[in-house]
Amino acid sequence: MNVTYQDSNARMSQVAVHNGTVYLAGQVPKDASADMRGQTEQVLVRIDQLLAQAGTSKEHLLSAQIWVTSMAEFDQMNAAWDAWVVPGRPPVRAAVEAKLAKPEWKVEIMVIAALPEA
C-alpha cells in the first residue's frame, strides 16, 4: 500500500495520495482582510495549485467539505465557488457554519479528487 505525502511538517501534510485518490488538507486564505468571496477565491486558487502539484485538477473533484463562519455570507462563498467549479462536474459537497482556528478566517475548504487515468 503506497501512500505519498506532500508539503508536510511535523503536524500535517497538505496533500496525501493513495490508490489514485488525492486528499487535500483544509485550505484557508492567506489574506484574511478580504471579504468572504475574496477569501474563498484565494482558497480555490490554492486548491488548484495543490491539485496540479499532485497530478490532477478540479475536473476530477470527488467531494468537498466547506466550513464558513457565517451563513449570512454563504451567498458570497457560493458565488466564488460557482464561478470556479467545472460546469457539469460539481463534486458532492457539504457546507456548514463553524468556528475556525483563527477568528479572521471566514472559510476553509477541503477536497478529495481522483487522479486522471493514464
Side-chain angles (χ1 to χ4, degrees):
M1 188 177 320
N2 187 22
V3 180
T4 59
Y5 302 95
Q6 300 172 13
D7 289 344
S8 304
N9 61 32
R11 179 168 293 144
M12 63 181 286
S13 296
Q14 294 299 312
V15 180
V17 182
H18 174 259
N19 201 26
T21 305
V22 177
Y23 303 85
L24 266 58
Q27 300 301 309
V28 295
K30 288 189 186 252
D31 177 9
S33 68
D35 64 7
M36 175 68 81
R37 182 171 183 150
Q39 286 195 20
T40 303
E41 289 169 346
Q42 292 173 50
V43 169
L44 297 173
V45 165
R46 181 67 176 141
I47 287 171
D48 280 335
Q49 293 167 344
L50 289 170
L51 290 173
Q53 175 182 308
T56 190
S57 71
K58 65 185 176 184
E59 292 181 352
H60 302 282
L61 284 180
L62 301 171
S63 72
Q65 296 178 9
I66 303 171
W67 297 270
V68 297
T69 55
S70 172
M71 282 297 179
E73 298 176 288
F74 191 64
D75 289 344
Q76 289 183 46
M77 182 281 298
N78 271 331
W81 177 269
D82 292 346
W84 176 80
V85 76
V86 176
R89 299 192 71 137
V92 297
R93 188 183 104 162
V96 298
E97 185 176 62
K99 185 176 180 180
L100 300 181
K102 290 188 177 180
E104 61 270 23
W105 291 340
K106 295 179 174 288
V107 62
E108 182 169 351
I109 302 175
M110 186 167 125
V111 301
I112 299 171
L115 286 172
E117 294 188 18

mmCIF file of all heavy atoms in Angstrom, residues 29-71:
data_model
loop_
_atom_site.group_PDB
_atom_site.id
_atom_site.type_symbol
_atom_site.label_atom_id
_atom_site.label_comp_id
_atom_site.label_asym_id
_atom_site.label_seq_id
_atom_site.Cartn_x
_atom_site.Cartn_y
_atom_site.Cartn_z
ATOM 1 N N PRO A 29 -7.505 31.080 3.668
ATOM 2 C CA PRO A 29 -6.964 32.218 2.912
ATOM 3 C C PRO A 29 -5.655 32.731 3.499
ATOM 4 O O PRO A 29 -5.411 32.604 4.696
ATOM 5 C CB PRO A 29 -8.063 33.275 3.032
ATOM 6 C CG PRO A 29 -8.761 32.939 4.304
ATOM 7 C CD PRO A 29 -8.710 31.445 4.416
ATOM 8 N N LYS A 30 -4.832 33.304 2.623
ATOM 9 C CA LYS A 30 -3.600 33.959 3.085
ATOM 10 C C LYS A 30 -3.887 35.383 3.548
ATOM 11 O O LYS A 30 -3.302 35.853 4.494
ATOM 12 C CB LYS A 30 -2.550 33.968 1.977
ATOM 13 C CG LYS A 30 -1.975 32.599 1.722
ATOM 14 C CD LYS A 30 -0.790 32.674 0.787
ATOM 15 C CE LYS A 30 -0.327 31.302 0.438
ATOM 16 N NZ LYS A 30 0.908 30.922 1.050
ATOM 17 N N ASP A 31 -4.778 36.078 2.839
ATOM 18 C CA ASP A 31 -5.130 37.456 3.176
ATOM 19 C C ASP A 31 -6.504 37.455 3.833
ATOM 20 O O ASP A 31 -7.532 37.472 3.162
ATOM 21 C CB ASP A 31 -5.128 38.341 1.932
ATOM 22 C CG ASP A 31 -5.562 39.770 2.222
ATOM 23 O OD1 ASP A 31 -5.706 40.137 3.408
ATOM 24 O OD2 ASP A 31 -5.767 40.521 1.247
ATOM 25 N N ALA A 32 -6.489 37.445 5.156
ATOM 26 C CA ALA A 32 -7.746 37.367 5.908
ATOM 27 C C ALA A 32 -8.485 38.702 5.958
ATOM 28 O O ALA A 32 -9.580 38.775 6.504
ATOM 29 C CB ALA A 32 -7.470 36.855 7.317
ATOM 30 N N SER A 33 -7.921 39.751 5.359
ATOM 31 C CA SER A 33 -8.620 41.037 5.356
ATOM 32 C C SER A 33 -9.695 41.087 4.258
ATOM 33 O O SER A 33 -10.533 41.986 4.254
ATOM 34 C CB SER A 33 -7.630 42.188 5.162
ATOM 35 O OG SER A 33 -7.074 42.160 3.854
ATOM 36 N N ALA A 34 -9.670 40.114 3.365
ATOM 37 C CA ALA A 34 -10.664 40.069 2.270
ATOM 38 C C ALA A 34 -12.028 39.661 2.806
ATOM 39 O O ALA A 34 -12.140 39.054 3.872
ATOM 40 C CB ALA A 34 -10.188 39.093 1.196
ATOM 41 N N ASP A 35 -13.071 39.978 2.033
ATOM 42 C CA ASP A 35 -14.419 39.539 2.400
ATOM 43 C C ASP A 35 -14.571 38.050 2.107
ATOM 44 O O ASP A 35 -13.631 37.394 1.630
ATOM 45 C CB ASP A 35 -15.479 40.379 1.681
ATOM 46 C CG ASP A 35 -15.471 40.227 0.163
ATOM 47 O OD1 ASP A 35 -14.745 39.368 -0.386
ATOM 48 O OD2 ASP A 35 -16.215 40.979 -0.490
ATOM 49 N N MET A 36 -15.733 37.501 2.380
ATOM 50 C CA MET A 36 -15.956 36.061 2.196
ATOM 51 C C MET A 36 -15.654 35.622 0.765
ATOM 52 O O MET A 36 -15.000 34.607 0.555
ATOM 53 C CB MET A 36 -17.398 35.701 2.576
ATOM 54 C CG MET A 36 -17.764 34.250 2.318
ATOM 55 S SD MET A 36 -16.925 33.055 3.379
ATOM 56 C CE MET A 36 -17.962 33.185 4.835
ATOM 57 N N ARG A 37 -16.128 36.372 -0.214
ATOM 58 C CA ARG A 37 -15.870 35.982 -1.606
ATOM 59 C C ARG A 37 -14.375 36.008 -1.902
ATOM 60 O O ARG A 37 -13.831 35.077 -2.495
ATOM 61 C CB ARG A 37 -16.624 36.876 -2.578
ATOM 62 C CG ARG A 37 -16.390 36.414 -4.010
ATOM 63 C CD ARG A 37 -17.244 37.095 -5.025
ATOM 64 N NE ARG A 37 -16.968 36.498 -6.328
ATOM 65 C CZ ARG A 37 -17.842 36.408 -7.290
ATOM 66 N NH1 ARG A 37 -19.064 36.865 -7.142
ATOM 67 N NH2 ARG A 37 -17.516 35.860 -8.446
ATOM 68 N N GLY A 38 -13.691 37.067 -1.475
ATOM 69 C CA GLY A 38 -12.253 37.176 -1.708
ATOM 70 C C GLY A 38 -11.470 36.070 -1.020
ATOM 71 O O GLY A 38 -10.533 35.510 -1.595
ATOM 72 N N GLN A 39 -11.838 35.747 0.210
ATOM 73 C CA GLN A 39 -11.157 34.656 0.918
ATOM 74 C C GLN A 39 -11.412 33.327 0.206
ATOM 75 O O GLN A 39 -10.499 32.511 0.055
ATOM 76 C CB GLN A 39 -11.614 34.589 2.375
ATOM 77 C CG GLN A 39 -11.045 35.709 3.221
ATOM 78 C CD GLN A 39 -11.186 35.440 4.712
ATOM 79 O OE1 GLN A 39 -11.360 34.309 5.159
ATOM 80 N NE2 GLN A 39 -11.106 36.506 5.500
ATOM 81 N N THR A 40 -12.637 33.113 -0.238
ATOM 82 C CA THR A 40 -12.957 31.869 -0.946
ATOM 83 C C THR A 40 -12.165 31.764 -2.239
ATOM 84 O O THR A 40 -11.613 30.704 -2.557
ATOM 85 C CB THR A 40 -14.469 31.785 -1.228
ATOM 86 O OG1 THR A 40 -15.189 31.885 0.002
ATOM 87 C CG2 THR A 40 -14.827 30.475 -1.923
ATOM 88 N N GLU A 41 -12.065 32.859 -2.978
ATOM 89 C CA GLU A 41 -11.289 32.852 -4.226
ATOM 90 C C GLU A 41 -9.830 32.502 -3.951
ATOM 91 O O GLU A 41 -9.219 31.738 -4.711
ATOM 92 C CB GLU A 41 -11.416 34.199 -4.923
ATOM 93 C CG GLU A 41 -12.794 34.419 -5.514
ATOM 94 C CD GLU A 41 -13.058 35.839 -5.975
ATOM 95 O OE1 GLU A 41 -12.290 36.764 -5.611
ATOM 96 O OE2 GLU A 41 -14.057 36.044 -6.698
ATOM 97 N N GLN A 42 -9.257 33.036 -2.872
ATOM 98 C CA GLN A 42 -7.874 32.705 -2.507
ATOM 99 C C GLN A 42 -7.725 31.206 -2.233
ATOM 100 O O GLN A 42 -6.763 30.570 -2.675
ATOM 101 C CB GLN A 42 -7.451 33.452 -1.250
ATOM 102 C CG GLN A 42 -7.304 34.935 -1.384
ATOM 103 C CD GLN A 42 -7.040 35.557 -0.030
ATOM 104 O OE1 GLN A 42 -6.165 35.106 0.707
ATOM 105 N NE2 GLN A 42 -7.811 36.579 0.310
ATOM 106 N N VAL A 43 -8.662 30.665 -1.484
ATOM 107 C CA VAL A 43 -8.622 29.247 -1.136
ATOM 108 C C VAL A 43 -8.724 28.394 -2.403
ATOM 109 O O VAL A 43 -7.989 27.405 -2.557
ATOM 110 C CB VAL A 43 -9.738 28.899 -0.129
ATOM 111 C CG1 VAL A 43 -9.887 27.401 0.041
ATOM 112 C CG2 VAL A 43 -9.467 29.571 1.210
ATOM 113 N N LEU A 44 -9.585 28.756 -3.316
ATOM 114 C CA LEU A 44 -9.761 27.980 -4.539
ATOM 115 C C LEU A 44 -8.508 28.025 -5.422
ATOM 116 O O LEU A 44 -8.160 27.015 -6.051
ATOM 117 C CB LEU A 44 -11.004 28.453 -5.295
ATOM 118 C CG LEU A 44 -12.314 28.240 -4.526
ATOM 119 C CD1 LEU A 44 -13.476 28.889 -5.269
ATOM 120 C CD2 LEU A 44 -12.577 26.767 -4.247
ATOM 121 N N VAL A 45 -7.814 29.155 -5.444
ATOM 122 C CA VAL A 45 -6.539 29.238 -6.177
ATOM 123 C C VAL A 45 -5.533 28.268 -5.562
ATOM 124 O O VAL A 45 -4.828 27.541 -6.278
ATOM 125 C CB VAL A 45 -5.989 30.685 -6.172
ATOM 126 C CG1 VAL A 45 -4.531 30.729 -6.600
ATOM 127 C CG2 VAL A 45 -6.830 31.577 -7.068
ATOM 128 N N ARG A 46 -5.467 28.234 -4.250
ATOM 129 C CA ARG A 46 -4.537 27.315 -3.565
ATOM 130 C C ARG A 46 -4.916 25.858 -3.829
ATOM 131 O O ARG A 46 -4.037 25.017 -4.056
ATOM 132 C CB ARG A 46 -4.524 27.608 -2.062
ATOM 133 C CG ARG A 46 -3.578 26.723 -1.292
ATOM 134 C CD ARG A 46 -2.127 27.008 -1.644
ATOM 135 N NE ARG A 46 -1.257 26.195 -0.811
ATOM 136 C CZ ARG A 46 -0.148 25.610 -1.238
ATOM 137 N NH1 ARG A 46 0.267 25.782 -2.484
ATOM 138 N NH2 ARG A 46 0.575 24.872 -0.429
ATOM 139 N N ILE A 47 -6.199 25.559 -3.843
ATOM 140 C CA ILE A 47 -6.636 24.193 -4.155
ATOM 141 C C ILE A 47 -6.204 23.823 -5.570
ATOM 142 O O ILE A 47 -5.674 22.725 -5.793
ATOM 143 C CB ILE A 47 -8.162 24.057 -3.966
ATOM 144 C CG1 ILE A 47 -8.487 24.059 -2.467
ATOM 145 C CG2 ILE A 47 -8.689 22.801 -4.651
ATOM 146 C CD1 ILE A 47 -9.969 24.137 -2.135
ATOM 147 N N ASP A 48 -6.373 24.722 -6.536
ATOM 148 C CA ASP A 48 -5.911 24.465 -7.900
ATOM 149 C C ASP A 48 -4.423 24.139 -7.918
ATOM 150 O O ASP A 48 -3.989 23.205 -8.599
ATOM 151 C CB ASP A 48 -6.169 25.676 -8.800
ATOM 152 C CG ASP A 48 -7.604 25.789 -9.291
ATOM 153 O OD1 ASP A 48 -8.308 24.757 -9.360
ATOM 154 O OD2 ASP A 48 -8.016 26.922 -9.615
ATOM 155 N N GLN A 49 -3.631 24.914 -7.180
ATOM 156 C CA GLN A 49 -2.179 24.703 -7.135
ATOM 157 C C GLN A 49 -1.829 23.335 -6.553
ATOM 158 O O GLN A 49 -1.002 22.611 -7.111
ATOM 159 C CB GLN A 49 -1.507 25.802 -6.305
ATOM 160 C CG GLN A 49 -1.575 27.165 -6.922
ATOM 161 C CD GLN A 49 -1.184 28.275 -5.945
ATOM 162 O OE1 GLN A 49 -1.136 28.085 -4.730
ATOM 163 N NE2 GLN A 49 -0.911 29.455 -6.495
ATOM 164 N N LEU A 50 -2.447 22.991 -5.436
ATOM 165 C CA LEU A 50 -2.146 21.716 -4.787
ATOM 166 C C LEU A 50 -2.609 20.528 -5.630
ATOM 167 O O LEU A 50 -1.902 19.510 -5.711
ATOM 168 C CB LEU A 50 -2.775 21.665 -3.396
ATOM 169 C CG LEU A 50 -2.129 22.580 -2.361
ATOM 170 C CD1 LEU A 50 -2.978 22.641 -1.093
ATOM 171 C CD2 LEU A 50 -0.702 22.134 -2.033
ATOM 172 N N LEU A 51 -3.763 20.641 -6.259
ATOM 173 C CA LEU A 51 -4.222 19.562 -7.123
ATOM 174 C C LEU A 51 -3.265 19.369 -8.299
ATOM 175 O O LEU A 51 -2.921 18.229 -8.645
ATOM 176 C CB LEU A 51 -5.642 19.834 -7.629
ATOM 177 C CG LEU A 51 -6.757 19.745 -6.594
ATOM 178 C CD1 LEU A 51 -8.083 20.204 -7.195
ATOM 179 C CD2 LEU A 51 -6.881 18.346 -6.009
ATOM 180 N N ALA A 52 -2.816 20.465 -8.896
ATOM 181 C CA ALA A 52 -1.866 20.374 -10.012
ATOM 182 C C ALA A 52 -0.556 19.732 -9.551
ATOM 183 O O ALA A 52 0.003 18.877 -10.245
ATOM 184 C CB ALA A 52 -1.614 21.762 -10.602
ATOM 185 N N GLN A 53 -0.091 20.124 -8.398
ATOM 186 C CA GLN A 53 1.140 19.553 -7.826
ATOM 187 C C GLN A 53 1.011 18.038 -7.649
ATOM 188 O O GLN A 53 1.969 17.295 -7.829
ATOM 189 C CB GLN A 53 1.409 20.224 -6.477
ATOM 190 C CG GLN A 53 2.553 19.702 -5.672
ATOM 191 C CD GLN A 53 2.646 20.434 -4.348
ATOM 192 O OE1 GLN A 53 2.669 21.654 -4.298
ATOM 193 N NE2 GLN A 53 2.703 19.680 -3.264
ATOM 194 N N ALA A 54 -0.194 17.581 -7.323
ATOM 195 C CA ALA A 54 -0.444 16.154 -7.105
ATOM 196 C C ALA A 54 -0.744 15.408 -8.398
ATOM 197 O O ALA A 54 -0.880 14.189 -8.398
ATOM 198 C CB ALA A 54 -1.592 15.975 -6.120
ATOM 199 N N GLY A 55 -0.911 16.144 -9.515
ATOM 200 C CA GLY A 55 -1.146 15.499 -10.800
ATOM 201 C C GLY A 55 -2.597 15.398 -11.221
ATOM 202 O O GLY A 55 -2.962 14.574 -12.059
ATOM 203 N N THR A 56 -3.441 16.258 -10.651
ATOM 204 C CA THR A 56 -4.854 16.238 -11.023
ATOM 205 C C THR A 56 -5.373 17.668 -11.112
ATOM 206 O O THR A 56 -4.600 18.624 -11.125
ATOM 207 C CB THR A 56 -5.677 15.363 -10.036
ATOM 208 O OG1 THR A 56 -6.994 15.178 -10.568
ATOM 209 C CG2 THR A 56 -5.726 15.952 -8.648
ATOM 210 N N SER A 57 -6.691 17.818 -11.165
ATOM 211 C CA SER A 57 -7.276 19.159 -11.272
ATOM 212 C C SER A 57 -8.705 19.134 -10.741
ATOM 213 O O SER A 57 -9.255 18.066 -10.445
ATOM 214 C CB SER A 57 -7.289 19.622 -12.729
ATOM 215 O OG SER A 57 -8.242 18.877 -13.458
ATOM 216 N N LYS A 58 -9.317 20.308 -10.710
ATOM 217 C CA LYS A 58 -10.703 20.411 -10.249
ATOM 218 C C LYS A 58 -11.666 19.651 -11.155
ATOM 219 O O LYS A 58 -12.778 19.349 -10.753
ATOM 220 C CB LYS A 58 -11.120 21.873 -10.104
ATOM 221 C CG LYS A 58 -11.162 22.649 -11.399
ATOM 222 C CD LYS A 58 -11.457 24.106 -11.137
ATOM 223 C CE LYS A 58 -11.406 24.930 -12.411
ATOM 224 N NZ LYS A 58 -11.596 26.349 -12.115
ATOM 225 N N GLU A 59 -11.255 19.312 -12.368
ATOM 226 C CA GLU A 59 -12.098 18.499 -13.253
ATOM 227 C C GLU A 59 -12.316 17.092 -12.709
ATOM 228 O O GLU A 59 -13.216 16.394 -13.166
ATOM 229 C CB GLU A 59 -11.476 18.418 -14.648
ATOM 230 C CG GLU A 59 -11.487 19.733 -15.379
ATOM 231 C CD GLU A 59 -10.888 19.631 -16.772
ATOM 232 O OE1 GLU A 59 -10.325 18.570 -17.115
ATOM 233 O OE2 GLU A 59 -10.991 20.621 -17.504
ATOM 234 N N HIS A 60 -11.495 16.704 -11.736
ATOM 235 C CA HIS A 60 -11.561 15.351 -11.182
ATOM 236 C C HIS A 60 -11.987 15.355 -9.715
ATOM 237 O O HIS A 60 -11.758 14.376 -8.999
ATOM 238 C CB HIS A 60 -10.207 14.661 -11.350
ATOM 239 C CG HIS A 60 -9.773 14.579 -12.777
ATOM 240 N ND1 HIS A 60 -10.283 13.654 -13.663
ATOM 241 C CD2 HIS A 60 -8.923 15.346 -13.491
ATOM 242 C CE1 HIS A 60 -9.740 13.838 -14.855
ATOM 243 N NE2 HIS A 60 -8.917 14.860 -14.775
ATOM 244 N N LEU A 61 -12.621 16.442 -9.270
ATOM 245 C CA LEU A 61 -13.071 16.508 -7.884
ATOM 246 C C LEU A 61 -14.128 15.446 -7.607
ATOM 247 O O LEU A 61 -15.016 15.211 -8.414
ATOM 248 C CB LEU A 61 -13.686 17.881 -7.577
ATOM 249 C CG LEU A 61 -12.747 19.046 -7.381
ATOM 250 C CD1 LEU A 61 -13.554 20.308 -7.086
ATOM 251 C CD2 LEU A 61 -11.757 18.780 -6.269
ATOM 252 N N LEU A 62 -14.009 14.848 -6.433
ATOM 253 C CA LEU A 62 -14.993 13.880 -5.979
ATOM 254 C C LEU A 62 -15.876 14.468 -4.888
ATOM 255 O O LEU A 62 -17.088 14.294 -4.907
ATOM 256 C CB LEU A 62 -14.292 12.623 -5.437
ATOM 257 C CG LEU A 62 -13.387 11.892 -6.421
ATOM 258 C CD1 LEU A 62 -12.602 10.812 -5.701
ATOM 259 C CD2 LEU A 62 -14.203 11.325 -7.559
ATOM 260 N N SER A 63 -15.248 15.149 -3.931
ATOM 261 C CA SER A 63 -16.015 15.717 -2.824
ATOM 262 C C SER A 63 -15.351 16.971 -2.288
ATOM 263 O O SER A 63 -14.162 17.200 -2.492
ATOM 264 C CB SER A 63 -16.203 14.690 -1.699
ATOM 265 O OG SER A 63 -14.986 14.473 -1.028
ATOM 266 N N ALA A 64 -16.168 17.768 -1.597
ATOM 267 C CA ALA A 64 -15.683 18.986 -0.953
ATOM 268 C C ALA A 64 -16.412 19.166 0.372
ATOM 269 O O ALA A 64 -17.613 18.898 0.466
ATOM 270 C CB ALA A 64 -15.921 20.200 -1.841
ATOM 271 N N GLN A 65 -15.655 19.595 1.358
ATOM 272 C CA GLN A 65 -16.224 19.989 2.642
ATOM 273 C C GLN A 65 -15.880 21.451 2.836
ATOM 274 O O GLN A 65 -14.723 21.842 2.688
ATOM 275 C CB GLN A 65 -15.640 19.156 3.778
ATOM 276 C CG GLN A 65 -15.985 17.693 3.674
ATOM 277 C CD GLN A 65 -15.343 16.876 4.785
ATOM 278 O OE1 GLN A 65 -14.775 17.397 5.730
ATOM 279 N NE2 GLN A 65 -15.437 15.574 4.655
ATOM 280 N N ILE A 66 -16.880 22.242 3.155
ATOM 281 C CA ILE A 66 -16.695 23.686 3.288
ATOM 282 C C ILE A 66 -17.195 24.125 4.655
ATOM 283 O O ILE A 66 -18.306 23.772 5.060
ATOM 284 C CB ILE A 66 -17.463 24.443 2.185
ATOM 285 C CG1 ILE A 66 -17.018 23.957 0.799
ATOM 286 C CG2 ILE A 66 -17.279 25.956 2.335
ATOM 287 C CD1 ILE A 66 -17.853 24.489 -0.348
ATOM 288 N N TRP A 67 -16.366 24.902 5.333
ATOM 289 C CA TRP A 67 -16.743 25.487 6.608
ATOM 290 C C TRP A 67 -16.742 27.003 6.432
ATOM 291 O O TRP A 67 -15.780 27.568 5.929
ATOM 292 C CB TRP A 67 -15.742 25.108 7.706
ATOM 293 C CG TRP A 67 -15.678 23.644 7.977
ATOM 294 C CD1 TRP A 67 -16.431 22.940 8.878
ATOM 295 C CD2 TRP A 67 -14.816 22.687 7.361
ATOM 296 N NE1 TRP A 67 -16.084 21.613 8.850
ATOM 297 C CE2 TRP A 67 -15.097 21.426 7.917
ATOM 298 C CE3 TRP A 67 -13.829 22.762 6.365
ATOM 299 C CZ2 TRP A 67 -14.438 20.265 7.551
ATOM 300 C CZ3 TRP A 67 -13.168 21.607 5.989
ATOM 301 C CH2 TRP A 67 -13.479 20.371 6.578
ATOM 302 N N VAL A 68 -17.832 27.653 6.808
ATOM 303 C CA VAL A 68 -17.926 29.112 6.770
ATOM 304 C C VAL A 68 -18.253 29.599 8.179
ATOM 305 O O VAL A 68 -18.908 28.900 8.946
ATOM 306 C CB VAL A 68 -18.983 29.621 5.765
ATOM 307 C CG1 VAL A 68 -18.613 29.229 4.343
ATOM 308 C CG2 VAL A 68 -20.367 29.112 6.106
ATOM 309 N N THR A 69 -17.791 30.797 8.500
ATOM 310 C CA THR A 69 -18.019 31.317 9.843
ATOM 311 C C THR A 69 -19.380 31.974 9.998
ATOM 312 O O THR A 69 -19.830 32.191 11.116
ATOM 313 C CB THR A 69 -16.923 32.316 10.244
ATOM 314 O OG1 THR A 69 -16.853 33.343 9.252
ATOM 315 C CG2 THR A 69 -15.572 31.623 10.364
ATOM 316 N N SER A 70 -20.023 32.295 8.876
ATOM 317 C CA SER A 70 -21.330 32.952 8.958
ATOM 318 C C SER A 70 -22.184 32.584 7.755
ATOM 319 O O SER A 70 -21.814 32.875 6.612
ATOM 320 C CB SER A 70 -21.162 34.467 9.021
ATOM 321 O OG SER A 70 -22.419 35.103 8.908
ATOM 322 N N MET A 71 -23.333 32.001 8.022
ATOM 323 C CA MET A 71 -24.259 31.692 6.937
ATOM 324 C C MET A 71 -24.817 32.965 6.312
ATOM 325 O O MET A 71 -25.306 32.931 5.185
ATOM 326 C CB MET A 71 -25.395 30.797 7.427
ATOM 327 C CG MET A 71 -24.971 29.355 7.577
ATOM 328 S SD MET A 71 -24.501 28.669 5.978
ATOM 329 C CE MET A 71 -24.042 27.017 6.459
#
